[in-house]
Amino acid sequence: MLERLSADMVFLDGRVITVDKSFSIAQAVAIKDGKFIAVGKDAEIKELIGRHTKVFNLSGKTVVPGFIDSHLHMKWTGLNLDKINLRGVSSIEDMLEIIDERAKEISVGQWIQGFGWDEGYFREKRYPTRWDLDKVSSTRPIHLARAYGHIEVVNSKVLKMANITKDTPQPAGGKILRDPKTGEPTGVLSGQGALKLIEKVLPQPNREEEKKAIKAISKKFNAAGITSVCDGWCYPEDFRIFQELKEAGDLTVRICGMVKIDAGTKPLEECVADIEEWGPYTNFGDDMLKIGGLKLILDGGIGGRTALTRLSYRNEPTNFGLQVIPTKDLIEICKVAAKNNWQVGVHCCGGKAIDLTLEAYKKADAEKSIKNRRWMLIHAYEPNECTFADCKKLGVVVAVQPVFIHLMGHAFISGWGKKRASYACPLKGWLNQKIHVGGGSDSPMANFEPLVGIWAAVNRQVELTGEQLGVEQCISVQEALRMFTVESAYLSFDENIKGSIEPGKLADLVVLGEDILRIPKMRIKDIPILMTIMNGNIVYKDKNED
C-alpha cells in the first residue's frame, strides 16, 4: 500500500499572492523537499499534513514569493556594516562630527571609512573636500564613498599615499577634481579610472573578513524578505568565497554572480583574454550559486553629473557626462562575449550610454545572435523610442532601481531640470513596451529593502522634497511586485524555477505583516516582514512570531 504524500511544511488560512501569470490569490500552500507541491484552499492543503509536517496558521496574513534583487553588490554591502553610514546627513559640518566620533572609537592606525554621503542633502550644496576631512585628521587616512566605483573623497593623507598631486595627469575613464584657482586636487575622485589610483592604498579585507561580511549581510537580506540576488560585480575570488559558504551550509541567499570585466581601466587585449580564459560561462552552477553575465561599466551616474547623456547637464552646456570604456573596446568586448556564449550587462545610466550599448549589442548580434541570451541594460535612466525598439528586437532586458527616484530625485531635477527629470527611470514606459524589467537596489548605493523599492516604484516620491516626480511613470503594486519577483528571475533565466508560488518551483516565500495589495500605497515600505522561507527552510523569523 502506497504511503500518502505528506508535506514538510504547510501554511494555512492565509492570503497567498502567487504572482503566477494570472496573479491568482490562494489560501494555503504546501512545501516538500525544498519545493512548492501544492497551492490552493485550506481543505486541499490539509490533506497533505502528516505526522512530521510543520503547520503554520497564518490567521489571514499575506504571503508573497521570496524577493529577488536583480542588481546589487553583496560583498560591499556586507563590508559596509562596519563603516560609517552617512546617508541622509544634512551638512558637511554634521558629517565631520560623525566621522570625528568614529575616529575617537578606533585605534590610531585604522582607516576612517564611510559611505552614502550626498551633497544634495548638504546645506552647503557642494562636495566635501580633502581640506574638510583634514579638519578631522590630516595624518590618519580618511576615505568616504558617495557611490562606490563612481565618486569618492579622501583626505590629504590618502592623496599623499597614492602619490596624487597637482601634476598627476587626468586618467582615462575618470577625473581628479581640482581647485580651479590652484590646480590642487580637492580629494574628490570621479570614475573608475581615477578611483583606480587610490585602490592600491585602500585597506583590503582578507578572505575571512569577506566571508564574515557576506554571512552577516545575507541574514539582513533574509530579514528584508530577500531570498535571491544578482551580484553585479564579482571576481573569481568572490565566487570561491560564495562556494565555500555554500559548501559549509552558510549561504542563506541564492546568488547569481556577474563577472566584472575591467574595461576602460585595463587594456583591451587583457579584457578579451579575461573573457576567453574563463572556462564556464553564463548559467554554470545550480539554483543556489551560479555564474551570470559579464558586467561592464560604461558611464557614471546622476549624482556626480557623470551619466553619459544625449543632452548636456543643466547650467553646464559642455558637460555630457563621462564615458569610461572607449566605443571600439565596448564593441569588441561584446563581440567576444557573444562568441563565447555570455550574457552581457552594461551599466549605462545616461541616454548616450544606452545608445552606445545598444549599438555594440547590434554589432555583436550581427556576428552571433544574442536574441535568447537576455543581454541587459543596467540602470538605463533615459531610454527613448529607439531604445524600446532595439530592446524588443534584440531580446534585451533591463535591471532598474526604483529607489533611485526616491533617494536621488533631487539630483535628477538639479542635473536635468524638472521636465526631463520626470521621465527618469520610466518604469511605466518600459512595461508598456512589454520589455522584461527586473527590480533591484544597487545596494550599497541605496536601501536594499525590496518593500522600499516597491513603494518607490508605486509612488515615485522624492525623499528630499516630498514631491512626486513623474507621476505618469508610477506603476501598480502588482506590477512592482512582479518586478521584484518573477521578472527579476527572468533576468537570470530562472523564471521557471522561482519568482512565483507555484507547484514545482523552489520554496521561497515571505510572510508579510500587512496585505501589500490592500493597504494605502504610501505605507508599503513600512510593512513588517514576519518570516522568510528559502528552500523550504526558515531563514528569518520575527522574534514576536510564534
Side-chain angles (χ1 to χ4, degrees), residues 305-320:
R305 297 191 170 196
T306 53
L308 187 63
T309 56
R310 303 182 191 98
L311 303 175
S312 65
Y313 284 86
R314 195 177 181 190
N315 302 321
E316 291 187 71
T318 62
N319 183 11
F320 293 84

Side-chain angles (χ1 to χ4, degrees), residues 300-345:
I302 186 64
R305 297 191 170 196
T306 53
L308 187 63
T309 56
R310 303 182 191 98
L311 303 175
S312 65
Y313 284 86
R314 195 177 181 190
N315 302 321
E316 291 187 71
T318 62
N319 183 11
F320 293 84
L322 177 68
Q323 182 171 345
V324 175
I325 307 172
T327 302
K328 64 178 181 59
D329 289 10
L330 177 66
I331 293 169
E332 183 60 26
I333 288 169
C334 287
K335 287 181 178 180
V336 172
K339 178 183 175 183
N340 286 276
N341 300 316
W342 281 95
Q343 180 190 35
V344 173

Side-chain angles (χ1 to χ4, degrees), residues 155-228:
N155 67 345
S156 296
K157 173 67 174 179
V158 179
L159 290 178
K160 185 176 181 180
M161 291 168 66
N163 197 29
I164 298 173
T165 70
K166 66 184 300 183
D167 299 318
T168 302
Q170 291 290 7
K175 187 176 182 181
I176 302 168
L177 273 64
R178 303 181 189 277
D179 183 283
K181 294 180 180 179
T182 65
E184 290 286 344
T186 65
V188 179
L189 305 169
S190 174
Q192 286 202 312
L195 294 171
K196 283 285 183 182
L197 300 177
I198 61 168
E199 190 176 278
K200 61 182 179 292
V201 302
L202 288 174
Q204 301 299 322
N206 60 40
R207 180 178 294 177
E208 287 307 310
E209 289 170 332
E210 291 181 336
K211 288 173 76 171
K212 180 182 176 183
I214 292 167
K215 285 174 65 175
I217 202 60
S218 294
K219 292 301 182 183
K220 290 189 176 293
F221 286 171
N222 295 154
I226 297 173
T227 55
S228 294

Side-chain angles (χ1 to χ4, degrees), residues 28-70:
V29 59
I31 294 169
K32 186 174 182 62
D33 296 331
K35 292 185 178 181
F36 298 118
I37 58 169
V39 183
K41 296 181 179 179
D42 273 357
E44 299 166 329
I45 302 305
K46 283 180 179 178
E47 291 293 318
L48 300 173
I49 297 175
R51 283 185 301 169
H52 303 293
T53 304
K54 293 180 181 178
V55 180
F56 296 89
N57 192 316
L58 294 168
S59 301
K61 296 184 180 72
T62 298
V63 171
V64 296
F67 295 124
I68 304 172
D69 192 305
S70 66

